[in-house]
Amino acid sequence: MIKLHDKYFKPFISAEEIDQALTRMAIEIANEVGDEIPVFVGILNGSFMVVSDFVKKYPKPCEVTFIKLASYEGVKSTEDIQRLIGLTQDLTGRTVVILEDIIDTGNTLAEVHRIFRNENVKSLKIATLFYKPAAYKKDFKLHYVGIEIPNKFIVGYGLDYDGLGRNLPEIYQIKQTEYMTNLVLFGPPGAGKGTQAEFLKEKYNLVHISTGDVFRYNIKNETALGVLAKSYMDKGELVPDQVTIDMLEAEVEKNTDANGFIFDGFPRTNAQAEALDKLMTSKDSQINAMIALEVDDEILVERLLGRGKTSGRADDADESIIRNRITEYYNKTAVLKDYYSAQNKYHGVDGVGSIEDITVRLSSVIDSL
Ligand code: AMP
């Protein structure tokens, strides 16, 4: 990942892929142009790398010239195209191929067509290395397209973000800023994760996902997932990883507009932690911190037995099941402390005290992130 000014960008298209696309385009254009000597017209500034690499691959004689237009301000393509340097030679009767680095809205292309309207060229063809079909708003024909890309801002290989990035030999794509704050609330059963998550989600405007709650909802509604999960939960065992991971991913997908998430009761195994990292990366996001509530075992048993009197949860009613859940936590889940410590993301918080005191302790960790 790289940072240019205030924004982050991730690798998107390699130098090798660019090279292959240009080779294909050079062969295709040479075949169509035949024995004529074409004039390649690069649109500055962005196309300087494309033109340079393309003409080296062009297998026959050709001429090269440039015009200079400017359209981008920051990361938005603007309607207002400035003509900074126009045509400097007579192209009457010539076969002209415009070489663009990227076609996105098509506004620059409209200006190019305006420039050539009265030039009496023999033919005007448009070639572009990158093309964003979802952004294109014009109907000028694009004769040669290297690589189609989604409608996200890119830099590198001649393309800049406010002046920076043109020198990169490969293409980087802007990193989205959705899911800004993602917390894993950690701790043994009865540590108070659910209670604290209720306060934190309001305070930080986050979506709270409790895998235990989602399983219980499915059990109550007698879904296939609920029936499967119940057999494990009733004994205080963990539900198999793949089932839990698939369910968690579906919950995240439901909340595309979220500011971020509080994951409560997930991950509980290394496989789940790895799956969560992968999921966050695919969203251009990450887990910012694991905040662990630390509470003594005997206090946990006492709290859970107390909760069992009113919660109706079968796994809170029986002391041996409670102890099994705590054992499962130490056997399978506590190792995650190492997983997040290795990434410098582990924050232990004393989970004994009043609910308000513990919220204050958790908030001070979150505020310091
Ligand atoms: P909780 O409400 O977090 O205490 O979870 C209650 C029960 O749901 C656990 O004892 C497990 O059987 C099951 N469960 C919840 N989250 C997970 C998870 N991440 N992986 C496996 N099982 C889970």
Side-chain angles (χ1 to χ4, degrees), residues 74-359:
V75 297
K76 284 240 161 51
S77 185
T78 65
E79 287 283 340
D80 180 27
I81 309 292
Q82 290 175 298
R83 198 182 300 182
L84 304 172
I85 302 175
L87 275 176
T88 50
Q89 73 193 83
D90 180 13
L91 295 176
T92 307
R94 302 298 303 271
T95 295
V96 174
V97 181
I98 302 295
L99 282 182
E100 266 284 35
D101 43 348
I102 185 164
I103 305 257
D104 102 16
T105 58
N107 290 335
T108 308
L109 201 52
E111 183 63 18
V112 167
H113 280 275
R114 255 193 301 279
I115 291 174
F116 279 89
R117 197 179 294 148
N118 301 317
E119 289 299 317
N120 297 319
V121 296
K122 182 175 172 195
S123 71
L124 179 68
K125 296 276 165 75
I126 309 296
T128 183
L129 175 58
F130 300 115
Y131 170 48
K132 288 183 181 171
Y136 193 54
K137 289 187 299 210
K138 309 281 190 225
D139 28 51
F140 304 113
K141 185 172 162 59
L142 307 180
H143 302 84
Y144 310 102
V145 172
I147 302 173
E148 287 194 5
I149 58 170
N151 191 11
K152 287 191 184 170
F153 188 74
I154 57 171
V155 292
Y157 201 71
L159 295 154
D160 73 313
Y161 168 47
D162 274 352
L164 294 182
R166 292 194 199 276
N167 56 322
L168 300 165
E170 58 278 300
I171 293 289
Y172 290 76
Q173 189 182 59
I174 198 160
K175 203 172 158 305
Q176 291 164 335
T177 48
E178 56 186 352
Y179 307 148
M180 291 289 287
T181 308
N182 302 295
L183 308 171
V184 170
L185 208 49
F186 193 63
K193 300 186 293 291
T195 307
Q196 292 300 330
E198 287 305 309
F199 291 107
L200 298 178
K201 75 171 194 194
E202 295 299 329
K203 183 163 179 193
Y204 296 98
N205 190 21
L206 302 173
V207 171
H208 171 209
I209 300 181
S210 154
T211 41
D213 284 352
V214 181
F215 283 133
R216 281 184 286 277
Y217 177 84
N218 278 277
I219 291 172
K220 198 166 136 223
N221 290 289
E222 296 177 349
T223 67
L225 176 65
V227 173
L228 175 71
K230 190 173 186 322
S231 58
Y232 297 94
M233 289 173 71
D234 282 353
K235 289 181 274 180
E237 293 169 6
L238 295 188
V239 177
D241 276 339
Q242 204 50 55
V243 176
T244 312
I245 290 166
D246 289 350
M247 180 192 83
L248 188 278
E249 291 189 358
E251 290 299 311
V252 169
E253 294 302 340
K254 277 186 207 161
N255 290 286
T256 42
D257 296 335
N259 237 344
F261 294 95
I262 300 175
F263 296 103
D264 157 12
F266 189 97
R268 266 176 153 99
T269 64
N270 262 317
Q272 292 181 11
E274 282 162 15
L276 184 59
D277 274 348
K278 225 161 111 192
L279 176 68
M280 288 291 115
T281 305
S282 77
K283 306 278 176 207
D284 288 346
S285 192
Q286 61 169 337
I287 295 296
N288 304 90
M290 165 191 258
I291 309 182
L293 287 166
E294 294 162 349
V295 182
D296 208 61
D297 288 4
E298 293 313 310
I299 299 179
L300 296 173
V301 174
E302 210 176 290
R303 281 189 189 173
L304 290 170
L305 282 171
R307 183 170 79 182
K309 290 188 185 125
T310 53
S311 73
R313 276 178 62 168
D315 59 349
D316 282 349
D318 181 307
E319 185 170 336
S320 74
I321 294 174
I322 289 174
R323 290 203 183 269
N324 193 37
R325 286 162 61 202
I326 297 173
T327 308
E328 281 277 88
Y329 172 78
Y330 285 108
N331 285 347
K332 296 191 180 153
T333 306
V335 293
L336 291 181
K337 179 176 176 178
D338 299 336
Y339 184 94
Y340 287 98
S341 296
Q343 302 182 18
N344 280 330
K345 291 180 181 168
Y346 181 87
H347 303 266
V349 167
D350 180 4
V352 183
S354 73
I355 292 175
E356 296 76 20
D357 285 349
I358 298 168
T359 308

